[in-house]
Amino acid sequence: MKKLARVLSPLLIACLVLGSLPVAAAPASPTEGGLVSTQDALSADQVQADRERIDDVLSRQDVQDQLLAQGVDPADVRDRVDALSDQEVHDMADRLDDMPAGASVVGALFAVFVILLVTDILGLTDVFPFTR
């Protein structure tokens, strides 16, 4: 038994050392895959919740009818909302929260229209032909 332990001990030590090398060589900075702070995780959850809230509003039939009445394709609106930055999504979701309950969808559509218009004027999108 002692002879077996003498042979296996160095082999086990070598396996453990070699097995821990990838962990020792892993990047230590958070930007390269380290720990995620609680604030970052919460803000990512908030952004996802804001995007879901905007998607819920845009999926309503009356909103889609109003978009079509304005001459805007709902698929283009969804693409633009997907292209918004996290801060813009948060601002848009805040505007939805500020509207009074039971109000018409015109306010939400106006907010979407303004965002689309601004991105079109900046040249980021190409939805409205009158902005050229």
Side-chain angles (χ1 to χ4, degrees), residues 43-44 46-48 50-55 58 74-96 108-120 122 124-125 127:
S43 67
Q46 182 63 38
V47 168
Q48 183 63 28
D50 290 342
R51 285 188 188 276
E52 288 174 2
R53 177 157 164 64
I54 292 170
D55 284 340
L58 291 176
D76 289 340
V77 173
R78 287 192 189 279
D79 291 341
R80 286 196 179 189
V81 169
D82 290 341
L84 291 176
S85 70
D86 293 344
Q87 183 61 41
E88 291 169 333
V89 168
H90 181 69
D91 292 342
M92 190 171 181
D94 281 346
R95 284 189 205 142
L96 290 176
L109 289 177
F110 181 72
V112 170
F113 177 74
V114 167
I115 290 173
L116 294 176
L117 182 65
V118 168
T119 57
D120 210 26
L122 293 174
L124 300 173
T125 58
V127 173

Side-chain angles (χ1 to χ4, degrees), residues 6-29:
R6 282 188 194 154
V7 173
L8 285 180
S9 292
L11 290 174
L12 289 175
I13 291 171
C15 288
L16 287 173
V17 168
L18 291 176
S20 65
L21 284 179
V23 174
S29 68

Side-chain angles (χ1 to χ4, degrees), residues 25-38:
S29 68
T31 59
E32 296 179 9
L35 295 174
V36 177
S37 70
T38 304

